[in-house]
């Protein structure tokens, strides 16, 4: 009897530890490795002393949320922002069934921890037999939750390993910088200008675009070297890989720089 009580208590503690790990790690965000580590540590601290019922609520609200929901980055970003979220998808019947099972698991845990004593009657073989059956049934009822969380933890761990592998590749940092550059306000402005002022052949005068950029994004243009690493708009356009750039000859022997947006890659 005592071994079975300990067995079930241990099972509930394992489930609780799984929940803490998943709740603390299901979402991480930041703009550099130090911030990511700090954010992750803060989430661990917040979940470390949470009660089982609270953990289950956080799990069902986070992991079982719509995978189509997007996280929103800060509005005042000045550098790349990383965000990772791990969720579980399924039809409504699956999600609702899992919510009910998780709630029942919490009730079973509370019943064992707080209300088992009346079942403990060593002077009665009959009552002890009933208590033994209760403990065995409880384990069978709760075991699928432990198996579910074990599966989710395995999936989360494999995802982390895949992300780590991607981060370790030689070209990841360059690709991340490219994505950041392509989504920068200055590049977006230059791209919008091609939709408004393009010649019939699709080309735009870079000098005209530069005047608009200095009016609408003066700080970005003034600090372009420090912000983007390029001294001229022409260099910036080429580096973004979103535009074709052409030096068009002029009758006087000079040239003017034109650019146009590349067609989207299908």
């Amino acid at each position: 009897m005592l071994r079975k009580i300990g067995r079930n208590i241990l099972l509930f503690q394992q489930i609780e530890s799984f929940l803490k790990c998943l709740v603390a790690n299901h979402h991480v965000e930041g703009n550099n490795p130090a911030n990511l580590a700090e954010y992750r540590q803060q989430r661990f601290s917040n979940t470390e002393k949470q009660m089982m019922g609270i953990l289950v609520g956080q799990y069902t609200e986070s992991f079982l949320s719509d995978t189509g929901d997007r996280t929103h980055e800060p509005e005042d970003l000045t550098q790349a922002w990383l965000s990772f979220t791990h969720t579980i998808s399924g039809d409504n019947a699956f999600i609702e069934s899992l919510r009910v099972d998780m709630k029942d698991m919490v009730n079973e845990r509370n019943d064992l921890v707080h209300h088992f004593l009346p079942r403990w009657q060593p002077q009665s073989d009959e009552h002890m037999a009933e208590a033994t059956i209760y403990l065995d049934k409880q384990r069978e009822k709760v075991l699928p939750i432990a198996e579910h969380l074990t599966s989710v933890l395995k999936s989360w761990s494999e995802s982390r390993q895949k992300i780590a592998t991607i981060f370790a590749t030689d070209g990841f940092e360059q690709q991340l910088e490219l994505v950041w550059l392509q989504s920068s306000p200055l590049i977006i402005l230059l791209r919008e200008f091609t939709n408004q002022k393009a010649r019939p052949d699709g080309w735009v005068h870079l000098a005209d675009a530069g005047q608009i950029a200095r009016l609408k994004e003066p700080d970005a243009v003034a600090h372009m070297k420090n912000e983007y690493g390029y001294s001229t708009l022409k260099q910036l356009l080429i580096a973004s890989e979103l535009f074709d750039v052409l030096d068009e000859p002029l009758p006087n022997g000079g040239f003017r720089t034109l650019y146009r947006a590349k067609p989207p890659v299908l």
Side-chain angles (χ1 to χ4, degrees):
M1 172 70 71
L2 292 175
R3 285 198 295 268
K4 290 188 177 183
I5 292 174
R7 176 199 64 190
N8 287 16
I9 290 290
L10 181 60
L11 179 59
F12 284 120
Q13 289 183 350
Q14 289 174 327
I15 290 174
E16 186 173 2
S17 69
F18 294 162
L19 287 169
K20 286 180 179 180
C21 182
L22 291 171
V23 168
N25 286 285
H26 105 278
H27 177 74
V28 179
E29 62 181 24
N31 54 12
N32 60 57
N35 284 351
L36 289 171
E38 181 181 352
Y39 182 92
R40 185 164 175 259
Q41 183 57 47
Q42 183 61 47
R43 290 185 65 91
F44 267 114
S45 299
N46 292 341
T47 59
E48 185 61 28
K49 296 183 179 180
Q50 295 282 17
M51 295 183 295
M52 176 78 83
I54 300 297
L55 290 170
V56 166
Q58 293 174 337
Y59 177 80
T60 56
E61 291 300 321
S62 57
F63 265 82
L64 303 186
S65 62
D66 185 357
T67 55
D69 290 347
R70 291 189 58 188
T71 56
H72 300 286
E73 67 275 5
E75 296 181 356
D76 57 346
L77 284 180
T78 59
Q79 53 186 309
W81 181 264
L82 300 178
S83 176
F84 306 95
T85 303
H86 192 111
T87 56
I88 299 172
S89 61
D91 58 30
N92 292 335
F94 166 76
I95 296 298
E96 187 56 33
S97 174
L98 188 54
R99 290 181 191 273
V100 171
D101 290 344
M102 296 286 282
K103 183 178 179 180
D104 288 344
M105 180 272 299
V106 175
N107 293 335
E108 290 290 340
R109 181 261 184 192
N110 291 339
D111 190 58
L112 175 61
V113 173
H114 301 295
H115 307 294
F116 182 78
L117 189 58
R119 300 177 185 273
W120 178 257
Q121 299 184 30
Q123 73 281 3
S124 170
D125 291 343
E126 180 181 357
H127 283 88
M128 295 301 278
E130 291 177 357
T132 300
I133 293 173
Y134 160 83
L135 290 169
D136 288 339
K137 287 184 176 180
Q138 183 180 70
R139 179 179 181 273
E140 293 304 314
K141 183 185 296 185
V142 173
L143 198 57
I145 296 295
E147 293 172 348
H148 161 76
L149 294 175
T150 300
S151 175
V152 175
L153 272 171
K154 181 180 179 182
S155 172
W156 168 76
S157 179
E158 291 174 349
S159 298
R160 285 189 63 194
Q161 292 175 4
K162 290 179 181 179
I163 292 173
T165 300
I166 293 173
F167 278 21
T169 58
D170 294 336
F172 175 77
E173 184 175 353
Q174 292 83 354
Q175 188 62 34
L176 185 62
E177 291 179 355
L178 178 61
V179 171
W180 172 75
L181 178 61
Q182 291 177 345
S183 61
S184 65
L186 193 52
I187 288 294
I188 292 175
L189 176 64
L190 293 171
R191 191 181 187 101
E192 291 176 348
F193 192 75
T194 63
N195 298 327
Q196 301 168 1
K197 301 295 183 179
R199 302 187 318 195
D201 59 3
W203 292 98
V204 178
H205 295 166
L206 180 56
D208 294 341
Q211 292 179 358
I212 297 299
R214 291 179 179 88
L215 288 174
K216 294 189 175 183
E217 295 287 346
D219 290 340
V221 175
H223 303 95
M224 188 163 45
K225 178 64 175 178
N226 292 333
E227 185 74 15
Y228 302 105
Y230 302 98
S231 303
T232 66
L233 288 176
K234 180 179 179 180
Q235 294 174 346
L236 188 69
L237 289 169
I238 294 172
S240 74
E241 301 183 8
L242 293 175
F243 304 94
D244 295 317
V245 180
L246 170 68
D247 290 331
E248 183 179 57
L250 296 174
N252 61 7
F255 67 89
R256 59 186 173 190
T257 301
L258 308 175
Y259 78 97
R260 65 183 178 186
K262 292 180 179 179
V265 178
L266 301 179

